[in-house]
Amino acid sequence: MSRKIITITRQYGSGGREIGEQLAQKLGIEFYDNKLLDLAAENSGIHKNHFRDNDEKRTNSFLYLLSTTYGQGGIPFDDTLFFAQLNTIQKIASEQDCVIIGRCADYALRDFTGVINLFVSAPFECRVKRAIEVYGIEEKHAENYVKRIDKQRTSYYNYYTDKRWGQPQNYQLCLDSSVLGIDGSVKLAEDFIKMYYKD
Amino acid sequence: MSRKIITITRQYGSGGREIGEQLAQKLGIEFYDNKLLDLAAENSGIHKNHFRDNDEKRTNSFLYLLSTTYGQGGIPFDDTLFFAQLNTIQKIASEQDCVIIGRCADYALRDFTGVINLFVSAPFECRVKRAIEVYGIEEKHAENYVKRIDKQRTSYYNYYTDKRWGQPQNYQLCLDSSVLGIDGSVKLAEDFIKMYYKD
């Protein structure tokens, strides 16, 4: 049986993180979301706050880019963080079965065999509702907040990879989580993964 | 139990048509691929060859467009065919459970409730292989042929709808058919549909 490696790319508020967490539990394998950032910090020696503050977003300020080279051959700090994460993702996937949320993991593992890349979406209005009810975003800011995070993730992914975020050809399965709900989506993704790995 | 209406958008050579045909058999519901064109011909009084010759592609020739208004208020013939198909798709879906392949059916049925829109893709090299082995396309022309049909379908969809072809947010489920094969993909789509319709 080959190693089970599952990456999940998710629109903000689609419940992709929860689906990934439940999926990892059901499959009895490791789950990496923020834990990945701490591990990248540990591996690279860069403080974990830098990873959290810059998580899945690019700094667009030119002055910031000028001021934050990290002493590693003049590489912008954003890039240093990205490559530290990329190395950590590759290390994890070399050692264990896992579910990894976001952070261009599908790209980081593009040369690994047997990786399943999932994309979780949901209609905009469902994601706004979830942002308010589950993540506690203030109602008056929720629509803009959802749009902003989507834009950040898209821009981050498109900058660091040679692919476009959210194109079906990058994923083996794309799911609208509003159709079956979180539990139903977990069930379908589990069926897909078990059929693939013939488990 | 609500009506089961499933539309399938497919990359050329992905096996989306076969998946749809098997799915319709398993669900015991009607299957519409080329049959839709004949029905649109019957409903509109336009000869079926026109529908077949212009199936899912736009005529780009300016002279053609100038020369082929059809006497229905000066509407270009392409548009007349499109709207005849659209009406037929809506008529079918009002009357029976069905699986409909391509022809912007997801767009035609955008105001219907309970419609499941599937997108079937596969890596380019798998689709070229299928084009040669299953559809008998000459090997030396196969790559260009696959690219051309994809381009035609994309252009047709993007012209007639307010959406972009192949964006995950247009579909409830997107499947790479090369992962589970045709039979596995049918099984997964069937599970998804049965969970959704609570059947």
Side-chain angles (χ1 to χ4, degrees):
Chain A
M1 196 184 68
S2 71
R3 192 180 297 296
K4 289 188 188 75
I5 304 168
I6 295 121
T7 76
I8 298 188
T9 304
R10 73 290 184 221
Q11 288 185 325
Y12 180 80
S14 67
R17 204 197 71 87
E18 282 78 353
I19 290 169
E21 194 165 15
Q22 286 192 35
L23 202 53
Q25 276 171 6
K26 281 183 183 277
L27 297 169
I29 64 179
E30 284 297 313
F31 174 69
Y32 288 93
D33 184 24
N34 290 333
K35 197 166 65 175
L36 175 74
L37 307 183
D38 298 345
L39 211 57
E42 205 178 299
N43 291 341
S44 64
I46 302 169
H47 196 281
K48 66 181 179 184
N49 286 355
H50 288 303
F51 286 95
R52 288 179 182 257
D53 292 346
N54 294 284
D55 190 23
E56 287 187 283
K57 62 187 177 202
R58 291 185 57 220
T59 302
N60 291 317
S61 157
F62 181 63
L63 283 176
Y64 176 86
L65 284 173
L66 279 180
S67 67
T68 56
T69 55
Y70 198 67
Q72 300 190 0
I75 297 169
F77 191 45
D78 279 14
D79 295 3
T80 305
L81 294 176
F82 175 77
F83 289 113
Q85 270 180 201
L86 185 131
N87 290 338
T88 301
I89 290 167
Q90 291 175 344
K91 188 170 183 294
I92 290 168
S94 303
E95 294 169 354
Q96 61 197 218
D97 292 0
C98 56
V99 173
I100 303 175
I101 302 294
R103 286 87 187 188
C104 308
D106 59 317
Y107 177 77
L109 303 177
R110 65 197 180 282
D111 294 329
F112 282 56
T113 53
V115 177
I116 289 288
N117 302 309
L118 305 183
F119 182 78
V120 182
S121 65
F124 183 68
E125 59 278 13
C126 299
R127 299 191 290 120
V128 171
K129 193 167 176 279
R130 189 175 175 86
I132 297 164
E133 291 174 3
V134 180
Y135 304 130
I137 306 299
E138 257 192 280
E139 197 166 340
K140 63 181 176 183
H141 298 309
E143 288 201 2
N144 283 339
Y145 188 80
V146 171
K147 280 181 196 164
R148 184 159 58 83
I149 303 288
D150 275 352
K151 208 169 167 182
Q152 279 174 0
R153 287 181 184 169
T154 306
S155 161
Y156 181 81
Y157 185 91
N158 294 352
Y159 179 76
Y160 281 114
T161 79
D162 54 1
K163 299 177 174 190
R164 308 295 291 173
W165 195 82
Q167 295 289 306
Q169 54 267 33
N170 300 340
Y171 313 101
Q172 281 73 47
L173 183 73
C174 305
L175 255 178
D176 174 347
S177 63
S178 73
V179 179
L180 302 180
I182 300 293
D183 293 349
S185 299
V186 171
K187 172 81 177 64
L188 193 86
E190 192 188 356
D191 288 351
F192 180 80
I193 288 159
K194 287 188 168 178
M195 275 199 264
Y196 174 66
Y197 290 112
K198 297 182 175 50
D199 192 12
Chain B
M1 197 184 66
S2 71
R3 192 180 298 297
K4 288 189 188 74
I5 304 167
I6 295 121
T7 77
I8 297 187
T9 304
R10 73 292 183 219
Q11 287 185 325
Y12 181 79
S14 66
R17 204 198 70 87
E18 281 78 353
I19 290 170
E21 193 164 17
Q22 285 192 34
L23 202 53
Q25 276 172 6
K26 281 182 183 274
L27 296 168
I29 65 180
E30 283 299 313
F31 173 70
Y32 288 94
D33 184 24
N34 289 334
K35 197 167 63 173
L36 175 75
L37 308 182
D38 298 344
L39 212 55
E42 206 179 299
N43 291 341
S44 65
I46 301 168
H47 196 281
K48 65 182 180 183
N49 286 353
H50 289 302
F51 286 94
R52 290 179 180 258
D53 291 347
N54 294 283
D55 190 20
E56 289 187 282
K57 62 187 177 200
R58 291 185 57 219
T59 302
N60 292 314
S61 158
F62 181 64
L63 284 177
Y64 176 85
L65 284 173
L66 278 181
S67 67
T68 56
T69 55
Y70 198 69
Q72 300 189 0
I75 297 170
F77 191 45
D78 279 13
D79 295 2
T80 304
L81 294 175
F82 174 78
F83 289 113
Q85 269 180 203
L86 185 131
N87 290 339
T88 301
I89 290 167
Q90 292 175 343
K91 188 171 182 294
I92 290 169
S94 305
E95 293 169 353
Q96 60 196 219
D97 293 359
C98 55
V99 173
I100 303 174
I101 302 294
R103 286 88 188 185
C104 309
D106 59 318
Y107 177 77
L109 303 176
R110 66 197 178 283
D111 294 328
F112 282 55
T113 54
V115 177
I116 289 288
N117 301 309
L118 305 183
F119 182 78
V120 183
S121 65
F124 182 69
E125 60 277 15
C126 299
R127 299 192 289 121
V128 170
K129 192 167 177 279
R130 190 174 175 86
I132 297 164
E133 291 174 2
V134 181
Y135 304 130
I137 306 298
E138 254 193 284
E139 197 166 340
K140 63 181 176 183
H141 299 308
E143 288 201 3
N144 283 340
Y145 188 79
V146 171
K147 280 182 196 163
R148 184 159 59 82
I149 303 287
D150 276 353
K151 207 169 168 181
Q152 279 174 0
R153 286 181 184 170
T154 306
S155 162
Y156 181 80
Y157 186 91
N158 294 352
Y159 179 77
Y160 280 114
T161 78
D162 54 2
K163 300 176 173 189
R164 308 294 293 173
W165 196 81
Q167 295 290 304
Q169 56 266 33
N170 300 341
Y171 314 99
Q172 281 73 46
L173 185 73
C174 304
L175 255 179
D176 174 347
S177 63
S178 73
V179 179
L180 302 181
I182 300 294
D183 292 349
S185 300
V186 171
K187 172 81 178 63
L188 193 86
E190 192 188 358
D191 288 351
F192 180 80
I193 288 159
K194 287 190 167 176
M195 275 199 263
Y196 174 67
Y197 290 112
K198 295 181 176 49
D199 191 12

